[in-house]
Amino acid sequence: MATPRKAQIILSQTKHYHCMIRCVRQARICGFDKFSGQNYEHRRKWIESRLFRLAKAFTIEICAYAIMHNHAHFVLHVDDNLAYSLDRTTILRRWSLIHKLTPLQVTYLCKGSSALTNDEKSKVYRDIEFIRLKLFSIASFMKDLNQYIAVKANKEDGCVGKFWESRYKSQALLDERALLACMVYVDLNPIRAGIASSLEQSHYTSIQKRVLQIKSHWQPTQLKPLTDKRSSNSRAIPMDLKAYIQVVTETSGMVYSPHDKVIQFPLSQLGFAPTEWRKLTSKFESLFGYVVGASDALIEFKQHVNLSKIRGMGAANEVFLNTN
């Protein structure tokens, strides 16, 4: 039996999640569709633009993404603490980026609470607290992404019905190693699929943005930044950006290389088994179920949700080094 989505998102265990969406029809999300003879490459831009707009509205950050021909991957960080710290006005302004506000909400935003009766004020305050919870909800984030793209694509195709296979699938990333491995896996999707020959040519991916931006000594504002652990930036993913790009670059060279090749970057320092790195970054989804992490993290999660067993324990022992 499949695990319900609400049981897959447990913020007390992790704030990082790998989400996937796939097109249900033979028609593609983007690229050239041999069945219809149409070129849907422009839809990649639709998805990317919507993704960035949602990130401005929600308190959910984008760690990595890859928009493929018939599916897409997103690695997300949920900042629920930020959502709880936002004042009411900021919440409505964020929400207005993607949703039409009610007349009462507009009045409150433009004129303040003094322009409302007590009953109206109570109604607006209840609405705002409801929106606050949505701002850090992955379910709401993915719904606002999927519905927008589905409606737009169906209108272009002149049809109705389901566009996506399901709302989304997700994997909880329990520790930093799971997060980094998943980011590499997502960033290398176009190269593994043979639709890109280099990171610079991997269009509509986070790695392309990071590689191009690092040349000007900036990090993409749309993405959660990377830096080393000594940095004072508490928002950053704890890995040096140049080191991360080196890892992805070297790993991309393994795609068509002999199977015994090991990259030069000292993966053991990051807690990975170097000889298993190829398998981890090419079969990430199939190695684990809806939870990914080292064996101790999986055991802790299993105990927390009261499971008798959890998928991926054997893989965790193989690909992650014991750091105790």
Side-chain angles (χ1 to χ4, degrees):
M1 181 181 295
T3 304
R5 287 183 181 85
K6 65 180 181 181
Q8 297 179 24
I9 309 295
I10 304 179
L11 297 182
S12 63
Q13 295 296 293
T14 182
K15 312 288 187 182
H16 291 100
Y17 294 86
H18 172 211
C19 297
M20 300 141 281
I21 50 175
R22 184 175 296 275
C23 189
V24 73
R25 299 197 295 259
Q26 286 184 321
R28 296 182 171 202
I29 296 175
C30 51
F32 181 77
D33 179 15
K34 65 181 181 181
F35 295 101
S36 66
Q38 297 292 319
N39 189 336
Y40 294 113
E41 188 67 13
H42 57 282
R43 291 181 179 177
R44 278 177 143 177
K45 187 63 177 178
W46 291 357
I47 298 171
E48 185 181 63
S49 297
R50 184 64 173 176
L51 181 68
F52 294 161
R53 189 169 184 83
L54 290 174
K56 288 182 179 180
F58 285 77
T59 61
I60 294 177
E61 297 174 294
I62 305 163
C63 301
Y65 71 93
I67 302 169
M68 304 294 287
H69 284 166
N70 69 342
H71 68 285
H73 295 264
F74 314 105
V75 181
L76 306 175
H77 171 253
V78 181
D79 195 343
D80 53 329
N81 292 327
L82 174 59
Y84 282 118
S85 72
L86 297 177
D87 59 49
R88 293 177 177 130
T89 299
T90 302
I91 288 175
L92 286 181
R93 284 177 178 159
R94 280 176 172 257
W95 199 240
S96 68
L97 292 174
I98 51 174
H99 290 283
K100 185 178 180 180
L101 300 182
T102 67
L104 286 181
Q105 291 168 359
V106 172
T107 300
Y108 174 81
L109 193 59
C110 297
K111 299 180 180 180
S113 59
S114 60
L116 302 174
T117 66
N118 288 336
D119 286 345
E120 289 172 338
K121 197 186 315 181
S122 296
K123 173 69 167 62
V124 170
Y125 287 173
R126 287 195 301 271
D127 290 345
I128 291 173
E129 292 311 307
F130 180 71
I131 294 171
R132 187 191 301 275
L133 298 179
K134 283 185 171 291
L135 288 185
F136 63 89
S137 166
I138 286 183
S140 296
F141 185 97
M142 296 302 296
K143 179 181 178 182
D144 279 329
L145 173 65
N146 288 356
Q147 284 188 348
Y148 176 86
I149 299 301
V151 169
K152 199 165 183 175
N154 280 344
K155 183 177 180 180
E156 184 177 63
D157 292 341
C159 66
V160 295
K162 290 184 65 175
F163 183 77
W164 301 108
E165 190 175 81
S166 62
R167 285 184 294 165
Y168 67 96
K169 296 179 181 179
S170 72
Q171 289 180 302
L173 309 174
L174 298 180
D175 50 39
E176 290 178 3
R177 287 181 287 177
L179 169 63
L180 291 173
C182 185
M183 288 175 60
V184 174
Y185 168 77
V186 168
D187 277 332
L188 289 179
N189 257 254
I191 291 179
R192 284 198 310 273
I195 63 173
S197 58
S198 68
L199 303 183
E200 290 84 352
Q201 295 301 314
S202 295
H203 302 304
Y204 301 102
T205 63
S206 49
I207 192 60
Q208 185 193 52
K209 283 198 171 294
R210 295 193 194 276
V211 168
L212 296 180
Q213 285 287 307
I214 199 174
K215 294 178 181 178
S216 57
H217 306 287
W218 292 96
Q219 295 207 43
T221 57
Q222 305 95 333
L223 303 176
K224 189 173 178 65
L226 286 100
T227 189
D228 63 45
K229 295 183 179 180
R230 295 168 295 178
S231 171
S232 59
N233 188 348
S234 59
R235 283 189 57 241
I237 298 169
M239 183 173 184
D240 180 75
L241 176 59
K242 289 183 179 180
Y244 177 76
I245 291 177
Q246 179 186 346
V247 169
V248 181
T249 301
E250 291 189 21
T251 307
S252 69
M254 300 174 68
V255 174
Y256 303 110
S257 65
H259 286 281
D260 58 352
K261 180 178 179 180
V262 178
I263 70 174
Q264 297 301 308
F265 190 91
L267 291 169
S268 57
Q269 292 183 11
L270 299 177
F272 297 107
T275 56
E276 303 299 324
W277 181 247
R278 181 197 297 270
K279 179 166 68 174
L280 176 60
T281 55
S282 63
K283 299 180 179 180
F284 188 89
E285 288 181 65
S286 60
L287 288 176
F288 297 90
Y290 70 95
V291 181
V292 185
S295 57
D296 55 347
L298 291 178
I299 291 171
E300 181 181 341
F301 182 89
K302 183 176 70 171
Q303 293 172 343
H304 178 82
V305 299
N306 196 29
L307 292 174
S308 58
K309 60 181 180 178
I310 194 165
R311 182 183 164 195
M313 191 67 71
N317 287 325
E318 289 180 1
V319 302
F320 298 120
L321 295 177
N322 188 344
T323 57
N324 294 332

PDB file of all heavy atoms in Angstrom, residues 197-225:
ATOM      1  N   SER A 197      24.933  17.754 -23.481  1.00  0.00           N
ATOM      2  CA  SER A 197      26.288  17.192 -23.491  1.00  0.00           C
ATOM      3  C   SER A 197      27.197  17.817 -22.446  1.00  0.00           C
ATOM      4  O   SER A 197      28.304  17.337 -22.227  1.00  0.00           O
ATOM      5  CB  SER A 197      26.911  17.380 -24.882  1.00  0.00           C
ATOM      6  OG  SER A 197      26.933  18.761 -25.229  1.00  0.00           O
ATOM      7  N   SER A 198      26.725  18.880 -21.788  1.00  0.00           N
ATOM      8  CA  SER A 198      27.528  19.552 -20.772  1.00  0.00           C
ATOM      9  C   SER A 198      26.604  20.252 -19.784  1.00  0.00           C
ATOM     10  O   SER A 198      25.407  20.431 -20.055  1.00  0.00           O
ATOM     11  CB  SER A 198      28.475  20.573 -21.410  1.00  0.00           C
ATOM     12  OG  SER A 198      27.736  21.653 -21.965  1.00  0.00           O
ATOM     13  N   LEU A 199      27.162  20.679 -18.668  1.00  0.00           N
ATOM     14  CA  LEU A 199      26.365  21.396 -17.678  1.00  0.00           C
ATOM     15  C   LEU A 199      25.882  22.731 -18.225  1.00  0.00           C
ATOM     16  O   LEU A 199      24.755  23.150 -17.959  1.00  0.00           O
ATOM     17  CB  LEU A 199      27.185  21.622 -16.401  1.00  0.00           C
ATOM     18  CG  LEU A 199      27.747  20.367 -15.717  1.00  0.00           C
ATOM     19  CD1 LEU A 199      28.458  20.742 -14.427  1.00  0.00           C
ATOM     20  CD2 LEU A 199      26.649  19.346 -15.447  1.00  0.00           C
ATOM     21  N   GLU A 200      26.734  23.398 -19.003  1.00  0.00           N
ATOM     22  CA  GLU A 200      26.361  24.682 -19.595  1.00  0.00           C
ATOM     23  C   GLU A 200      25.212  24.543 -20.582  1.00  0.00           C
ATOM     24  O   GLU A 200      24.427  25.478 -20.781  1.00  0.00           O
ATOM     25  CB  GLU A 200      27.563  25.322 -20.300  1.00  0.00           C
ATOM     26  CG  GLU A 200      28.664  25.813 -19.378  1.00  0.00           C
ATOM     27  CD  GLU A 200      29.643  24.704 -18.987  1.00  0.00           C
ATOM     28  OE1 GLU A 200      29.359  23.516 -19.314  1.00  0.00           O
ATOM     29  OE2 GLU A 200      30.668  25.014 -18.360  1.00  0.00           O
ATOM     30  N   GLN A 201      25.082  23.371 -21.211  1.00  0.00           N
ATOM     31  CA  GLN A 201      24.017  23.127 -22.184  1.00  0.00           C
ATOM     32  C   GLN A 201      22.799  22.438 -21.565  1.00  0.00           C
ATOM     33  O   GLN A 201      21.847  22.111 -22.286  1.00  0.00           O
ATOM     34  CB  GLN A 201      24.555  22.275 -23.341  1.00  0.00           C
ATOM     35  CG  GLN A 201      25.631  22.973 -24.166  1.00  0.00           C
ATOM     36  CD  GLN A 201      25.143  24.262 -24.790  1.00  0.00           C
ATOM     37  OE1 GLN A 201      24.056  24.317 -25.365  1.00  0.00           O
ATOM     38  NE2 GLN A 201      25.942  25.324 -24.655  1.00  0.00           N
ATOM     39  N   SER A 202      22.824  22.227 -20.263  1.00  0.00           N
ATOM     40  CA  SER A 202      21.691  21.586 -19.573  1.00  0.00           C
ATOM     41  C   SER A 202      20.636  22.650 -19.275  1.00  0.00           C
ATOM     42  O   SER A 202      20.538  23.174 -18.159  1.00  0.00           O
ATOM     43  CB  SER A 202      22.166  20.918 -18.283  1.00  0.00           C
ATOM     44  OG  SER A 202      23.049  19.867 -18.551  1.00  0.00           O
ATOM     45  N   HIS A 203      19.856  22.967 -20.292  1.00  0.00           N
ATOM     46  CA  HIS A 203      18.899  24.062 -20.181  1.00  0.00           C
ATOM     47  C   HIS A 203      17.789  23.742 -19.176  1.00  0.00           C
ATOM     48  O   HIS A 203      17.372  22.597 -19.021  1.00  0.00           O
ATOM     49  CB  HIS A 203      18.286  24.368 -21.543  1.00  0.00           C
ATOM     50  CG  HIS A 203      19.301  24.732 -22.575  1.00  0.00           C
ATOM     51  ND1 HIS A 203      20.201  25.760 -22.409  1.00  0.00           N
ATOM     52  CD2 HIS A 203      19.582  24.178 -23.790  1.00  0.00           C
ATOM     53  CE1 HIS A 203      20.984  25.852 -23.461  1.00  0.00           C
ATOM     54  NE2 HIS A 203      20.631  24.894 -24.321  1.00  0.00           N
ATOM     55  N   TYR A 204      17.323  24.776 -18.507  1.00  0.00           N
ATOM     56  CA  TYR A 204      16.248  24.681 -17.526  1.00  0.00           C
ATOM     57  C   TYR A 204      16.612  23.737 -16.375  1.00  0.00           C
ATOM     58  O   TYR A 204      15.836  22.871 -15.989  1.00  0.00           O
ATOM     59  CB  TYR A 204      14.934  24.281 -18.203  1.00  0.00           C
ATOM     60  CG  TYR A 204      14.525  25.272 -19.267  1.00  0.00           C
ATOM     61  CD1 TYR A 204      14.720  24.987 -20.616  1.00  0.00           C
ATOM     62  CD2 TYR A 204      14.000  26.514 -18.922  1.00  0.00           C
ATOM     63  CE1 TYR A 204      14.389  25.913 -21.598  1.00  0.00           C
ATOM     64  CE2 TYR A 204      13.662  27.437 -19.887  1.00  0.00           C
ATOM     65  CZ  TYR A 204      13.861  27.145 -21.221  1.00  0.00           C
ATOM     66  OH  TYR A 204      13.543  28.059 -22.187  1.00  0.00           O
ATOM     67  N   THR A 205      17.821  23.912 -15.889  1.00  0.00           N
ATOM     68  CA  THR A 205      18.277  23.189 -14.698  1.00  0.00           C
ATOM     69  C   THR A 205      18.952  24.168 -13.755  1.00  0.00           C
ATOM     70  O   THR A 205      19.443  25.228 -14.171  1.00  0.00           O
ATOM     71  CB  THR A 205      19.299  22.084 -15.051  1.00  0.00           C
ATOM     72  OG1 THR A 205      20.468  22.700 -15.613  1.00  0.00           O
ATOM     73  CG2 THR A 205      18.726  21.077 -16.023  1.00  0.00           C
ATOM     74  N   SER A 206      19.000  23.792 -12.499  1.00  0.00           N
ATOM     75  CA  SER A 206      19.679  24.623 -11.498  1.00  0.00           C
ATOM     76  C   SER A 206      21.178  24.645 -11.719  1.00  0.00           C
ATOM     77  O   SER A 206      21.833  25.666 -11.485  1.00  0.00           O
ATOM     78  CB  SER A 206      19.352  24.115 -10.091  1.00  0.00           C
ATOM     79  OG  SER A 206      19.545  22.718  -9.988  1.00  0.00           O
ATOM     80  N   ILE A 207      21.749  23.528 -12.183  1.00  0.00           N
ATOM     81  CA  ILE A 207      23.210  23.487 -12.341  1.00  0.00           C
ATOM     82  C   ILE A 207      23.649  24.437 -13.444  1.00  0.00           C
ATOM     83  O   ILE A 207      24.719  25.067 -13.340  1.00  0.00           O
ATOM     84  CB  ILE A 207      23.715  22.043 -12.609  1.00  0.00           C
ATOM     85  CG1 ILE A 207      25.242  21.982 -12.467  1.00  0.00           C
ATOM     86  CG2 ILE A 207      23.246  21.537 -13.953  1.00  0.00           C
ATOM     87  CD1 ILE A 207      25.764  22.358 -11.109  1.00  0.00           C
ATOM     88  N   GLN A 208      22.879  24.579 -14.510  1.00  0.00           N
ATOM     89  CA  GLN A 208      23.244  25.538 -15.548  1.00  0.00           C
ATOM     90  C   GLN A 208      23.274  26.951 -14.979  1.00  0.00           C
ATOM     91  O   GLN A 208      24.209  27.717 -15.245  1.00  0.00           O
ATOM     92  CB  GLN A 208      22.261  25.477 -16.716  1.00  0.00           C
ATOM     93  CG  GLN A 208      22.672  26.378 -17.887  1.00  0.00           C
ATOM     94  CD  GLN A 208      21.571  26.560 -18.911  1.00  0.00           C
ATOM     95  OE1 GLN A 208      20.449  26.919 -18.562  1.00  0.00           O
ATOM     96  NE2 GLN A 208      21.876  26.302 -20.169  1.00  0.00           N
ATOM     97  N   LYS A 209      22.284  27.286 -14.172  1.00  0.00           N
ATOM     98  CA  LYS A 209      22.259  28.620 -13.573  1.00  0.00           C
ATOM     99  C   LYS A 209      23.456  28.836 -12.652  1.00  0.00           C
ATOM    100  O   LYS A 209      24.078  29.902 -12.659  1.00  0.00           O
ATOM    101  CB  LYS A 209      20.954  28.828 -12.790  1.00  0.00           C
ATOM    102  CG  LYS A 209      19.756  29.105 -13.673  1.00  0.00           C
ATOM    103  CD  LYS A 209      18.631  29.718 -12.885  1.00  0.00           C
ATOM    104  CE  LYS A 209      17.538  30.199 -13.812  1.00  0.00           C
ATOM    105  NZ  LYS A 209      17.977  31.316 -14.661  1.00  0.00           N
ATOM    106  N   ARG A 210      23.794  27.824 -11.863  1.00  0.00           N
ATOM    107  CA  ARG A 210      24.923  27.977 -10.935  1.00  0.00           C
ATOM    108  C   ARG A 210      26.243  28.105 -11.702  1.00  0.00           C
ATOM    109  O   ARG A 210      27.094  28.926 -11.337  1.00  0.00           O
ATOM    110  CB  ARG A 210      24.978  26.791  -9.974  1.00  0.00           C
ATOM    111  CG  ARG A 210      23.779  26.692  -9.019  1.00  0.00           C
ATOM    112  CD  ARG A 210      24.067  25.709  -7.904  1.00  0.00           C
ATOM    113  NE  ARG A 210      22.875  25.335  -7.152  1.00  0.00           N
ATOM    114  CZ  ARG A 210      22.363  26.049  -6.139  1.00  0.00           C
ATOM    115  NH1 ARG A 210      22.934  27.185  -5.793  1.00  0.00           N
ATOM    116  NH2 ARG A 210      21.288  25.622  -5.496  1.00  0.00           N
ATOM    117  N   VAL A 211      26.428  27.299 -12.734  1.00  0.00           N
ATOM    118  CA  VAL A 211      27.679  27.328 -13.507  1.00  0.00           C
ATOM    119  C   VAL A 211      27.853  28.671 -14.209  1.00  0.00           C
ATOM    120  O   VAL A 211      28.949  29.248 -14.209  1.00  0.00           O
ATOM    121  CB  VAL A 211      27.701  26.177 -14.537  1.00  0.00           C
ATOM    122  CG1 VAL A 211      28.833  26.363 -15.529  1.00  0.00           C
ATOM    123  CG2 VAL A 211      27.854  24.838 -13.818  1.00  0.00           C
ATOM    124  N   LEU A 212      26.760  29.181 -14.803  1.00  0.00           N
ATOM    125  CA  LEU A 212      26.862  30.451 -15.520  1.00  0.00           C
ATOM    126  C   LEU A 212      27.040  31.628 -14.575  1.00  0.00           C
ATOM    127  O   LEU A 212      27.779  32.570 -14.874  1.00  0.00           O
ATOM    128  CB  LEU A 212      25.618  30.651 -16.393  1.00  0.00           C
ATOM    129  CG  LEU A 212      25.431  29.638 -17.528  1.00  0.00           C
ATOM    130  CD1 LEU A 212      24.158  29.942 -18.309  1.00  0.00           C
ATOM    131  CD2 LEU A 212      26.633  29.628 -18.463  1.00  0.00           C
ATOM    132  N   GLN A 213      26.386  31.568 -13.421  1.00  0.00           N
ATOM    133  CA  GLN A 213      26.468  32.680 -12.471  1.00  0.00           C
ATOM    134  C   GLN A 213      27.810  32.737 -11.748  1.00  0.00           C
ATOM    135  O   GLN A 213      28.286  33.817 -11.404  1.00  0.00           O
ATOM    136  CB  GLN A 213      25.344  32.575 -11.440  1.00  0.00           C
ATOM    137  CG  GLN A 213      23.984  32.974 -11.961  1.00  0.00           C
ATOM    138  CD  GLN A 213      23.841  34.475 -12.151  1.00  0.00           C
ATOM    139  OE1 GLN A 213      24.094  35.249 -11.249  1.00  0.00           O
ATOM    140  NE2 GLN A 213      23.440  34.877 -13.356  1.00  0.00           N
ATOM    141  N   ILE A 214      28.430  31.596 -11.527  1.00  0.00           N
ATOM    142  CA  ILE A 214      29.688  31.592 -10.779  1.00  0.00           C
ATOM    143  C   ILE A 214      30.783  32.326 -11.554  1.00  0.00           C
ATOM    144  O   ILE A 214      31.744  32.840 -10.954  1.00  0.00           O
ATOM    145  CB  ILE A 214      30.129  30.155 -10.436  1.00  0.00           C
ATOM    146  CG1 ILE A 214      31.151  30.174  -9.292  1.00  0.00           C
ATOM    147  CG2 ILE A 214      30.689  29.443 -11.656  1.00  0.00           C
ATOM    148  CD1 ILE A 214      31.530  28.808  -8.777  1.00  0.00           C
ATOM    149  N   LYS A 215      30.652  32.403 -12.854  1.00  0.00           N
ATOM    150  CA  LYS A 215      31.637  33.119 -13.665  1.00  0.00           C
ATOM    151  C   LYS A 215      31.653  34.610 -13.342  1.00  0.00           C
ATOM    152  O   LYS A 215      32.671  35.281 -13.506  1.00  0.00           O
ATOM    153  CB  LYS A 215      31.338  32.901 -15.151  1.00  0.00           C
ATOM    154  CG  LYS A 215      31.529  31.455 -15.602  1.00  0.00           C
ATOM    155  CD  LYS A 215      31.178  31.287 -17.067  1.00  0.00           C
ATOM    156  CE  LYS A 215      31.348  29.827 -17.491  1.00  0.00           C
ATOM    157  NZ  LYS A 215      30.975  29.620 -18.913  1.00  0.00           N
ATOM    158  N   SER A 216      30.520  35.143 -12.876  1.00  0.00           N
ATOM    159  CA  SER A 216      30.445  36.554 -12.489  1.00  0.00           C
ATOM    160  C   SER A 216      30.492  36.721 -10.971  1.00  0.00           C
ATOM    161  O   SER A 216      30.186  37.786 -10.447  1.00  0.00           O
ATOM    162  CB  SER A 216      29.169  37.188 -13.045  1.00  0.00           C
ATOM    163  OG  SER A 216      28.024  36.492 -12.595  1.00  0.00           O
ATOM    164  N   HIS A 217      30.856  35.607 -10.282  1.00  0.00           N
ATOM    165  CA  HIS A 217      31.021  35.616  -8.823  1.00  0.00           C
ATOM    166  C   HIS A 217      29.713  35.910  -8.079  1.00  0.00           C
ATOM    167  O   HIS A 217      29.717  36.492  -6.995  1.00  0.00           O
ATOM    168  CB  HIS A 217      32.105  36.624  -8.405  1.00  0.00           C
ATOM    169  CG  HIS A 217      33.420  36.417  -9.100  1.00  0.00           C
ATOM    170  ND1 HIS A 217      34.251  35.363  -8.801  1.00  0.00           N
ATOM    171  CD2 HIS A 217      34.020  37.119 -10.095  1.00  0.00           C
ATOM    172  CE1 HIS A 217      35.332  35.425  -9.580  1.00  0.00           C
ATOM    173  NE2 HIS A 217      35.213  36.469 -10.366  1.00  0.00           N
ATOM    174  N   TRP A 218      28.619  35.506  -8.674  1.00  0.00           N
ATOM    175  CA  TRP A 218      27.314  35.641  -8.030  1.00  0.00           C
ATOM    176  C   TRP A 218      26.639  34.271  -7.979  1.00  0.00           C
ATOM    177  O   TRP A 218      26.978  33.379  -8.741  1.00  0.00           O
ATOM    178  CB  TRP A 218      26.412  36.604  -8.804  1.00  0.00           C
ATOM    179  CG  TRP A 218      26.855  38.026  -8.758  1.00  0.00           C
ATOM    180  CD1 TRP A 218      27.609  38.686  -9.695  1.00  0.00           C
ATOM    181  CD2 TRP A 218      26.586  38.983  -7.739  1.00  0.00           C
ATOM    182  NE1 TRP A 218      27.826  39.980  -9.325  1.00  0.00           N
ATOM    183  CE2 TRP A 218      27.208  40.198  -8.122  1.00  0.00           C
ATOM    184  CE3 TRP A 218      25.884  38.940  -6.538  1.00  0.00           C
ATOM    185  CZ2 TRP A 218      27.156  41.346  -7.349  1.00  0.00           C
ATOM    186  CZ3 TRP A 218      25.817  40.085  -5.767  1.00  0.00           C
ATOM    187  CH2 TRP A 218      26.441  41.271  -6.161  1.00  0.00           C
ATOM    188  N   GLN A 219      25.683  34.144  -7.061  1.00  0.00           N
ATOM    189  CA  GLN A 219      24.857  32.944  -7.033  1.00  0.00           C
ATOM    190  C   GLN A 219      23.453  33.306  -7.494  1.00  0.00           C
ATOM    191  O   GLN A 219      22.990  34.424  -7.243  1.00  0.00           O
ATOM    192  CB  GLN A 219      24.820  32.350  -5.617  1.00  0.00           C
ATOM    193  CG  GLN A 219      26.167  31.839  -5.141  1.00  0.00           C
ATOM    194  CD  GLN A 219      26.033  30.735  -4.111  1.00  0.00           C
ATOM    195  OE1 GLN A 219      25.207  29.830  -4.237  1.00  0.00           O
ATOM    196  NE2 GLN A 219      26.870  30.788  -3.083  1.00  0.00           N
ATOM    197  N   PRO A 220      22.767  32.407  -8.187  1.00  0.00           N
ATOM    198  CA  PRO A 220      21.418  32.703  -8.676  1.00  0.00           C
ATOM    199  C   PRO A 220      20.476  33.071  -7.528  1.00  0.00           C
ATOM    200  O   PRO A 220      20.367  32.335  -6.543  1.00  0.00           O
ATOM    201  CB  PRO A 220      20.986  31.389  -9.344  1.00  0.00           C
ATOM    202  CG  PRO A 220      22.260  30.679  -9.647  1.00  0.00           C
ATOM    203  CD  PRO A 220      23.205  31.046  -8.553  1.00  0.00           C
ATOM    204  N   THR A 221      19.799  34.187  -7.661  1.00  0.00           N
ATOM    205  CA  THR A 221      18.895  34.630  -6.595  1.00  0.00           C
ATOM    206  C   THR A 221      17.679  33.726  -6.471  1.00  0.00           C
ATOM    207  O   THR A 221      17.024  33.700  -5.432  1.00  0.00           O
ATOM    208  CB  THR A 221      18.427  36.070  -6.863  1.00  0.00           C
ATOM    209  OG1 THR A 221      17.806  36.135  -8.157  1.00  0.00           O
ATOM    210  CG2 THR A 221      19.606  37.034  -6.838  1.00  0.00           C
ATOM    211  N   GLN A 222      17.361  32.987  -7.532  1.00  0.00           N
ATOM    212  CA  GLN A 222      16.177  32.110  -7.493  1.00  0.00           C
ATOM    213  C   GLN A 222      16.433  30.830  -6.713  1.00  0.00           C
ATOM    214  O   GLN A 222      15.486  30.098  -6.394  1.00  0.00           O
ATOM    215  CB  GLN A 222      15.735  31.746  -8.909  1.00  0.00           C
ATOM    216  CG  GLN A 222      15.473  32.935  -9.821  1.00  0.00           C
ATOM    217  CD  GLN A 222      16.691  33.275 -10.664  1.00  0.00           C
ATOM    218  OE1 GLN A 222      17.835  33.008 -10.265  1.00  0.00           O
ATOM    219  NE2 GLN A 222      16.463  33.853 -11.831  1.00  0.00           N
ATOM    220  N   LEU A 223      17.710  30.520  -6.425  1.00  0.00           N
ATOM    221  CA  LEU A 223      18.067  29.249  -5.797  1.00  0.00           C
ATOM    222  C   LEU A 223      18.601  29.444  -4.388  1.00  0.00           C
ATOM    223  O   LEU A 223      19.197  30.482  -4.079  1.00  0.00           O
ATOM    224  CB  LEU A 223      19.127  28.527  -6.634  1.00  0.00           C
ATOM    225  CG  LEU A 223      18.787  28.242  -8.095  1.00  0.00           C
ATOM    226  CD1 LEU A 223      19.983  27.617  -8.798  1.00  0.00           C
ATOM    227  CD2 LEU A 223      17.564  27.346  -8.202  1.00  0.00           C
ATOM    228  N   LYS A 224      18.413  28.441  -3.563  1.00  0.00           N
ATOM    229  CA  LYS A 224      19.016  28.450  -2.238  1.00  0.00           C
ATOM    230  C   LYS A 224      20.531  28.401  -2.421  1.00  0.00           C
ATOM    231  O   LYS A 224      21.043  27.532  -3.126  1.00  0.00           O
ATOM    232  CB  LYS A 224      18.532  27.239  -1.436  1.00  0.00           C
ATOM    233  CG  LYS A 224      18.923  27.271   0.040  1.00  0.00           C
ATOM    234  CD  LYS A 224      18.262  26.119   0.786  1.00  0.00           C
ATOM    235  CE  LYS A 224      18.671  26.077   2.250  1.00  0.00           C
ATOM    236  NZ  LYS A 224      18.213  27.263   2.994  1.00  0.00           N
ATOM    237  N   PRO A 225      21.273  29.316  -1.803  1.00  0.00           N
ATOM    238  CA  PRO A 225      22.722  29.384  -2.052  1.00  0.00           C
ATOM    239  C   PRO A 225      23.492  28.232  -1.425  1.00  0.00           C
ATOM    240  O   PRO A 225      23.032  27.585  -0.488  1.00  0.00           O
ATOM    241  CB  PRO A 225      23.120  30.714  -1.414  1.00  0.00           C
ATOM    242  CG  PRO A 225      22.090  30.932  -0.342  1.00  0.00           C
ATOM    243  CD  PRO A 225      20.811  30.358  -0.880  1.00  0.00           C
TER     244      PRO A 225
END
